[in-house]
Amino acid sequence: MSTAAALTPINPPIPTHVAIIMDGNGRWAGQRNLPRTEGHRKGSENSLHILEAAGKIGVRYLTLYAFSVENWHRPADEVDALMRLLETYLDRYYDKLVEKKIRLRTIGDTAALPAHAREPLEKAIRDTAHFTGTSLVLALNYGSRNEVLRALRTCANDIASGQLNPDKLDWNAFASYLDTRDIPDPDLVIRTSGETRMSNFLLLQSAYAEWYFTPTLWPDFDENCFIEAVRVFSTRERRFGRTAEQLSPNRPKKPPQKIAEIS
Ligand code: IPE
Ligand code: IPE
Ligand code: MG
């Protein structure tokens, strides 16, 4: 593969957590007169490459939006094909997770997934739970509103049973009820395919994330595209409500860091 972008120097910081809305599989297939499911297959294949690229440059958490709460409303045969693909690719992921010591986690209401997909998913989560390197977080049957409602219900029950003092409920306490409870907020959220909306993805957790939108369709979003997104992230100034001057105006620029070549 081309190494041009892979050798582009990237200024630190590398994002700790990159979350991706993998969009455009259907259009990718449509452009080739292929069924939408072929786009999903190609997209699933691509996610394996991006997982590898993320690990190589030191991204600690990679969250992939694979199936939204709203995606159940797609035609039944497409939903069915997506669930079958999940099962197939979990098998492919499993070997990579073990080989690279990557921990698999999920966010979303995975209890609603069909057993043929849920069971290998639970096995992969169990078998990789002790890995401390990169985490792959699959967002499955995920939607921010659904996540917040589930968190609120548990939180309200804890208040009702006296386990939680509502006066002590600050953001950190509430965040511990979210699916992302032990996952840091995303630093960079990427959306492919040219759409510039959030589609119910990590709405609270991305409060201070940097967003990167690209017209590239997900199956075409290769390692070089990923590196470019990280490079753009590294040029952004995150101010978290402060002024630019407050962020040490005379700070010396760190020299660009050459990241590992992706092959
Ligand atoms: C993203 O690709 C994959 C899922 C939502 C499961 P799409 O299937 O949304 O592709 P487009 O947006 O129709 O091109
Ligand atoms: C978002 O893509 C969900 C996933 C990538 C899994 P969609 O294609 O479902 O989003 P909308 O409907 O265009 O907003
Ligand atoms: Mg879409």
Side-chain angles (χ1 to χ4, degrees):
M1 66 166 280
S2 151
T3 55
L7 290 171
T8 304
I10 298 185
N11 276 308
I14 298 290
T16 301
H17 182 176
V18 179
I20 309 183
I21 303 179
M22 310 183 289
D23 199 11
N25 294 349
R27 277 163 282 172
W28 184 92
Q31 287 170 0
R32 289 160 180 78
N33 287 322
L34 295 169
R36 290 178 61 84
T37 48
E38 192 48 30
H40 294 314
R41 196 198 56 74
K42 188 80 180 153
S44 307
E45 191 70 42
N46 193 44
S47 54
L48 281 167
H49 301 311
I50 299 303
L51 172 63
E52 192 136 336
K56 278 188 184 163
I57 65 166
V59 169
R60 302 278 301 163
Y61 297 84
L62 177 71
T63 296
L64 299 178
Y65 201 7
F67 193 84
S68 76
V69 164
E70 287 80 16
N71 287 149
W72 293 112
H73 300 303
R74 292 191 177 197
D77 58 346
E78 182 168 343
V79 171
D80 191 52
L82 282 166
M83 293 300 146
R84 298 271 157 213
L85 268 175
L86 177 59
E87 182 188 351
T88 305
Y89 274 84
L90 274 170
D91 209 42
R92 303 269 309 272
Y93 270 116
Y94 190 91
D95 296 339
K96 185 150 308 269
L97 298 175
V98 172
E99 179 199 330
K100 304 274 181 197
K101 304 211 175 322
I102 296 167
R103 180 176 175 186
L104 179 67
R105 308 167 183 219
T106 57
I107 54 173
D109 188 1
T110 54
L113 298 175
H116 69 83
R118 200 182 61 247
E119 283 160 12
L121 183 67
E122 285 168 355
K123 176 174 165 46
I125 291 170
R126 262 196 323 273
D127 292 356
T128 62
H130 59 290
F131 292 147
T132 53
T134 306
S135 280
L136 169 65
V137 184
L138 292 181
L140 289 165
N141 191 22
Y142 178 83
S144 279
R145 290 178 176 179
N146 173 275
E147 176 192 33
V148 168
L149 283 174
R150 286 184 287 107
L152 262 178
R153 268 184 220 124
T154 315
C155 189
N157 281 334
D158 284 353
I159 290 173
S161 67
Q163 284 182 61
L164 178 69
N165 176 351
D167 297 332
K168 294 262 158 41
L169 189 64
D170 58 11
W171 171 251
N172 283 339
F174 182 68
S176 73
Y177 287 89
L178 295 172
D179 295 348
T180 49
R181 61 185 68 83
D182 50 1
I183 298 169
D185 286 346
D187 302 292
L188 169 64
V189 184
I190 298 170
R191 182 166 189 153
T192 60
S193 89
E195 309 301 347
T196 48
R197 56 179 169 266
M198 299 159 103
S199 301
N200 207 2
F201 185 52
L202 296 177
L203 299 182
L204 297 177
Q205 295 88 340
S206 65
Y208 269 103
E210 295 296 323
W211 282 79
Y212 178 86
F213 297 104
T214 170
T216 306
L217 304 175
W218 176 247
D220 292 328
F221 188 82
D222 64 12
E223 292 97 328
N224 287 331
C225 300
F226 181 75
I227 298 296
E228 174 58 12
V230 171
R231 190 196 64 74
V232 169
F233 167 85
S234 75
T235 65
R236 305 258 183 94
E237 182 170 68
R238 304 177 77 189
R239 292 198 281 274
F240 300 99
R242 293 182 169 78
T243 68
E245 290 69 29
Q246 282 178 298
L247 303 168
S248 51
N250 300 320
R251 65 191 182 283
K253 281 259 180 277
K254 287 190 190 151
Q257 169 193 322
K258 225 168 206 183
I259 56 155
E261 183 178 344
I262 310 247
S263 54

